[in-house]
């Protein structure tokens, strides 16, 4: 029950022989060594394993690796530039106290990225709605929402800069 | 997780044939947000998982503008429904319900068909489809059959589907003008929680007299399966709907409900919330009708 799949992972073409019962999370963490994506509950309740598949935020713990065949996948490892510069959302979480223990952070940031890629002007309500499936036991969420809003401003400012 | 063979047929007939070949040890899977949890937890131990994801025909959402009939493929995800402007504008009760199922990560993958077949008593996805008089199209080895969505459910976690049958789509008949509909998932929080109680109301008013010509009051978690409050619905017919009438309808619906005490809440609280929210959802229907939606 081994099958070869290929997919685009953080811009790189990956081909891998997987077992059909593997989750995408298992493939990422245990086989590809991408341990930025976390396993929290393993049942789709906490959002720590969130990755972006074809532009949609998805729980990788409930997504079979075999269904990733042909898809475009983004994980937290793909966000920073090769020179180490953080993605505006990552920097914003650092600057605004959106991170404490850090366990939920990769999932929070991937959910935030999926939202802002689709809706850069998301309101506080829309941010809350999009992040409702990501649980954080440290921050009380307020700093996380503020981090996302600060990232929106940064992205908007960058865009303005480029246009001029 | 237990090892299994993954099959991805591209037609319903092929899926049924696969299932026939492996019978007892095969399971169909929609988005997988429930099935994978069950396999992980050992509640389900399939040797073959038959994914329905590649069957394009049952993943389409469309409205026939000539007939006014809405067709929702079983494999349409909650997020697709939530983001559809047509659903938002013309079927607000569906939007209200699907936009609070699970989390966005679950809604991006989980399907309306899977939600129905799962047959949990809360059934956020089922309530609006029952209120809209939805009809489910099933396909099994002996061919197709249609059944009202409200008759799909037998008991908690059990539907009338035979082992090899597949839910293909739900059709919603055309809605009369001057119809409003709304749903509330009432609980401690909306995300990642089952509701304490779910209340869906649909009202159609006569254009001239403003009297109620059609009423649907559908309740989730109020009985072992999703239920309609028929007495409360009957009470509303022919009446000019105002707050006093809706309060009375709420009382009747609460009395009709078969709520129980559970870990999530007490029966008396659930009854109280049915009373309150039948009124509020009724008022929301009136607002939508007045706004011409």
């Amino acid at each position: 029950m081994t099958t070869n799949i290929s997919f685009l992972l953080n811009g790189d073409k990956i081909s891998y022989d997987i077992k059909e019962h593997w989750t995408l999370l298992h493939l990422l963490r245990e086989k590809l060594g991408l341990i930025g994506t976390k396993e929290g509950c393993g049942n789709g309740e906490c959002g720590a394993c969130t990755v972006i598949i074809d532009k949609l935020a998805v729980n990788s713990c409930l997504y079979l690796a075999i269904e990733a065949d042909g898809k475009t996948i983004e994980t937290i490892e793909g966000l920073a530039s090769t020179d180490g510069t953080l993605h505006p959302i990552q920097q914003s979480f650092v600057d605004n106290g959106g991170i404490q223990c850090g366990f939920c952070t990769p999932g929070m940031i991937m959910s935030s990225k999926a939202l802002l890629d689709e809706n850069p002007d998301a309101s506080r309500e829309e941010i809350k709605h999009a992040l409702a499936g990501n649980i954080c036991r440290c921050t009380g969420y307020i700093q996380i929402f503020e981090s996302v809003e600060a990232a929106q401003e940064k992205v908007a400012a960058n865009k303005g800069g480029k246009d001029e | 997780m237990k090892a299994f063979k993954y099959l991805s047929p591209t037609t319903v007939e092929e899926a049924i044939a696969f299932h026939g070949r492996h019978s007892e040890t095969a399971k169909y899977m929609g988005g997988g947000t429930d099935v994978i949890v069950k396999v992980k937890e050992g509640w389900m131990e399939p040797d073959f998982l038959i994914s329905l994801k590649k069957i394009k025909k049952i993943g389409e959402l469309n409205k026939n503008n000539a007939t006014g009939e809405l067709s929702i493929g079983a494999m349409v995800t909650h997020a697709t429904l939530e983001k559809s402007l047509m659903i938002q504008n013309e079927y607000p009760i569906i939007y209200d319900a699907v936009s609070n199922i699970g989390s966005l990560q679950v809604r991006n993958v989980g399907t309306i068909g899977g939600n129905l077949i799962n047959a949990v008593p809360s059934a956020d996805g089922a309530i609006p489809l029952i209120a809209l008089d939805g009809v489910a199209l099933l396909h099994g080895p002996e061919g197709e059959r249609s059944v009202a969505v409200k008759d799909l459910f037998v008991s908690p976690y059990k539907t009338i589907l035979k082992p090899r049958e597949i839910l293909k789509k739900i059709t919603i008949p055309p809605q009369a003008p001057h119809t409003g509909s709304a749903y509330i998932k009432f609980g401690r929080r909306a995300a990642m929680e089952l509701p304490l109680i779910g209340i869906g109301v649909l009202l159609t008013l006569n254009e001239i007299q403003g009297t109620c010509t059609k009423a649907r009051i559908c309740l989730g978690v109020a009985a072992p399966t999703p239920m309609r409050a028929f007495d409360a619905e009957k009470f509303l017919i022919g009446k000019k709907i105002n707050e006093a009438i809706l309060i009375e309808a709420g009382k009747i619906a609460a009395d009709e409900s078969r709520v129980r005490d559970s870990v999530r809440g007490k029966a008396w609280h659930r009854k109280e919330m049915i009373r309150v929210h039948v009124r509020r959802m009724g008022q929301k229907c009136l607002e939508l009708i007045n706004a011409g939606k």
Side-chain angles (χ1 to χ4, degrees):
Chain A
M1 291 191 247
T2 302
T3 304
N4 183 267
I5 61 164
S6 47
F7 56 100
L8 213 55
L9 177 62
N10 298 326
D12 297 328
K13 190 142 197 261
I14 303 278
S15 173
Y16 204 91
D17 288 332
I18 56 136
K19 297 264 193 249
E20 296 179 12
H21 67 283
W22 285 358
T23 62
L24 177 60
L25 178 66
H26 181 82
L27 174 63
L28 291 173
R29 284 184 59 87
E30 310 300 328
K31 302 296 168 186
L32 300 176
L34 297 180
I35 56 172
T37 305
K38 305 300 181 210
E39 175 159 32
C41 65
N43 279 337
E45 307 258 352
C46 77
C49 66
T50 304
V51 300
I52 301 177
I53 304 178
D54 288 350
K55 303 197 167 140
L56 299 175
V58 164
N59 290 318
S60 62
C61 74
L62 296 185
Y63 199 89
L64 292 177
I66 193 167
E67 296 189 333
D69 190 35
K71 301 272 198 308
T72 298
I73 298 172
E74 298 169 67
T75 71
I76 192 72
E77 286 88 352
L79 259 56
S81 312
T82 40
D83 67 0
T85 309
L86 294 181
H87 184 279
I89 301 174
Q90 289 175 303
Q91 190 60 49
S92 187
F93 270 65
V94 174
D95 296 341
N96 294 279
I99 304 172
Q100 282 189 34
C101 87
F103 193 86
C104 75
T105 309
M108 284 286 179
I109 289 178
M110 296 317 284
S111 285
S112 304
K113 181 169 190 293
L115 171 68
L116 297 190
D117 284 351
E118 190 192 349
N119 180 8
D121 304 319
S123 66
R124 174 66 74 104
E125 269 315 302
E126 287 168 325
I127 294 170
K128 282 182 167 180
H129 194 63
L131 296 185
N134 292 79
I135 291 176
C136 170
R137 294 289 85 143
C138 309
T139 64
Y141 302 102
I142 302 297
Q143 293 92 327
I144 289 174
F145 301 144
E146 287 169 354
S147 299
V148 179
E149 287 168 344
Q152 287 176 304
E153 285 162 24
K154 212 178 296 178
V155 170
N158 286 350
K159 272 195 188 149
K162 271 178 200 160
D163 287 346
E164 281 163 11
Chain B
M1 182 160 46
K2 179 195 181 298
F4 49 76
K5 174 102 188 115
Y6 178 94
L7 303 166
S8 53
T10 53
T11 65
V12 169
E13 289 79 6
E14 203 186 335
I16 293 168
F18 274 146
H19 202 301
R21 243 170 279 152
H22 308 296
S23 62
E24 291 301 294
T25 57
K27 286 277 177 211
Y28 292 128
M29 180 172 89
T33 52
D34 283 303
V35 167
I36 297 298
V37 173
K38 286 175 182 160
V39 177
K40 278 188 167 187
E41 298 289 338
W43 301 327
M44 205 183 253
E45 297 179 311
D47 291 329
F48 298 88
L49 261 192
I50 305 171
S51 167
L52 307 180
K53 276 189 187 174
K54 293 239 166 91
I55 307 177
K56 288 224 168 62
K57 267 190 138 173
I58 62 171
E60 291 166 0
L61 169 68
N62 50 54
K63 185 170 175 181
N64 182 330
N65 284 324
T67 63
E69 188 178 83
L70 174 69
S71 167
I72 308 173
M75 289 296 289
V76 170
T77 65
H78 303 305
T80 300
L81 291 167
E82 180 184 1
K83 287 180 194 164
S84 157
L85 289 177
M86 180 259 291
I87 295 292
Q88 289 176 19
N89 291 329
E90 298 175 38
Y91 304 90
I93 192 170
I94 296 180
Y95 173 80
D96 290 347
V98 296
S99 59
N100 281 313
I101 290 177
S103 62
L104 181 57
Q105 291 95 317
V106 168
R107 295 195 296 277
N108 277 336
V109 178
T111 63
I112 189 74
N115 184 274
L116 293 179
I117 297 310
N118 226 7
V120 291
S122 45
D124 279 315
I127 303 296
L129 302 179
I130 294 171
L132 292 163
D133 296 329
V135 174
L137 180 64
L138 311 179
H139 194 138
E142 284 103 50
E144 290 183 347
R145 61 175 174 143
S146 290
V147 52
V149 174
K150 76 170 167 44
D151 297 327
L152 271 181
F153 308 99
V154 177
S155 59
Y157 314 104
K158 192 159 168 42
T159 66
I160 60 156
L161 266 75
K162 294 180 189 134
R164 290 169 67 190
E165 258 180 331
I166 291 174
L167 169 63
K168 283 168 75 166
K169 65 173 183 177
I170 301 101
T171 49
I172 307 289
Q175 300 298 303
H178 308 287
T179 295
S181 63
Y183 174 80
I184 184 169
K185 172 183 185 175
F186 179 81
R188 283 182 302 177
R189 73 192 285 255
M192 296 318 301
E193 265 274 35
L194 299 177
L196 185 76
I197 198 93
I199 297 124
V201 176
L202 177 146
L203 298 175
T204 301
L205 302 185
N206 177 300
E207 192 181 349
I208 299 144
Q209 292 102 352
T211 49
C212 180
T213 55
K214 178 177 167 183
R216 294 285 181 270
I217 297 177
C218 305
L219 307 173
V221 214
T225 57
M227 66 168 278
R228 273 177 62 185
F230 288 108
D231 293 346
E233 291 176 1
K234 256 179 247 146
F235 169 79
L236 290 173
I237 299 298
K239 296 209 169 55
K240 220 171 148 63
I241 307 297
N242 55 36
E243 189 172 3
I245 295 289
L246 288 173
I247 288 172
E248 190 56 32
K251 280 184 194 160
I252 298 169
D255 287 341
E256 266 183 285
S257 73
R258 289 176 281 142
V259 290
R260 294 191 319 172
D261 289 341
S262 82
V263 283
R264 266 193 301 281
K266 297 288 179 201
W268 69 264
H269 186 206
R270 291 195 157 105
K271 279 205 174 193
E272 202 54 40
M273 290 305 102
I274 293 172
R275 247 199 286 243
V276 169
H277 288 292
V278 164
R279 169 174 61 81
R280 287 193 192 160
M281 292 306 103
Q283 282 167 327
K284 213 170 148 189
C285 291
L286 295 183
E287 282 165 25
L288 288 169
I289 293 169
N290 289 334
K293 278 205 167 179

